[in-house]
Amino acid sequence: MSRVIVCSNSVDGHVAPLLAVARDLLGRGHRVVFYTGSQFRQRVLACGVAFWAFPPGSDFDVRDLATEFPQWMALPPGRARSAYELKEIGIKPIPVQVRGLHKLLEAFPADVVISEQTLFGPFAAVQGLPAMERPKLVTLGILNPFFQSVDTAPHGTGLLPLSGWEGDVRNLALNAEARQNFASIQAYAEAIFMSVGAHLDGYLFDAVLKHSDYYLQLTVPGFEYPRGDLPSHFRFIGPIPPALGATNYEPAPWWPELSQQRPVVVVSQGTFANADLVSV
């Protein structure tokens, strides 16, 4: 039996797969604590998993970002808004998340910390501990990989792979450009990491991969662009079976229509752009 801390950003689409993992580990006899925003307390406890809330300063409700981050709402969709989200929601809360996780580790010395690719606090918290006190860090890839590769264009460009030397040249140039565009946020992240006794070794998204003991991508290779430079601690482990995440699921009345041997297109408005389900 191991002691496991499972961490997630307080966003439904992030909590759901991590909570499914936590429930499964609990069912296998492990001791599990879930570390996320307080809005998910009852949902976690209903699964029988122990709960530990983010401290104030990180424990915001993403269902009401207009109140939490009025400046975010004033920005038009695009690079400026994405940069604000990453800095204010992703990086700025790191010290608070680190302090909360260190307190949790004092009360519950875990063997393993399982987190997800968009939550940087656990990565900084574990890295900042003395080597002999560090639990193993497992990162779950719940989204497509953000880290760079010689075989792909940067995340977010929407460009298909290009084979041969033309592709190598294109990808090297675009990856360098992405790092340059990211330079101010990278410098901010490095300063934040340093403030908690951790070291951000290289490009932020690459460092998350580099310093995880295991990076487990929740899909199969066919859903990702081929990468020939993946490290050995990166593994495709397939999706989480629906039974692990389902709780009293009732299919919609139209559900049987999906089995009528016709193409089905699934559309999601994502994590944030879902306040207005008609016009967004």
Side-chain angles (χ1 to χ4, degrees), residues 123-186:
F123 167 57
V126 171
Q127 198 203 35
L129 292 172
M132 295 298 294
E133 299 178 16
R134 291 179 192 169
K136 292 289 186 181
L137 178 62
V138 178
T139 299
L140 296 187
I142 61 172
L143 304 170
N144 58 296
F146 293 168
F147 51 84
Q148 294 190 338
S149 169
V150 69
D151 295 318
T152 63
H155 163 75
T157 59
L159 293 175
L160 295 174
L162 181 63
S163 61
W165 66 267
E166 296 97 336
D168 292 343
V169 171
R170 183 201 69 174
N171 296 337
L172 286 171
L174 290 175
N175 284 332
E177 180 181 353
R179 292 192 298 272
Q180 181 61 39
N181 292 336
F182 195 75
S184 62
I185 296 179
Q186 176 72 22

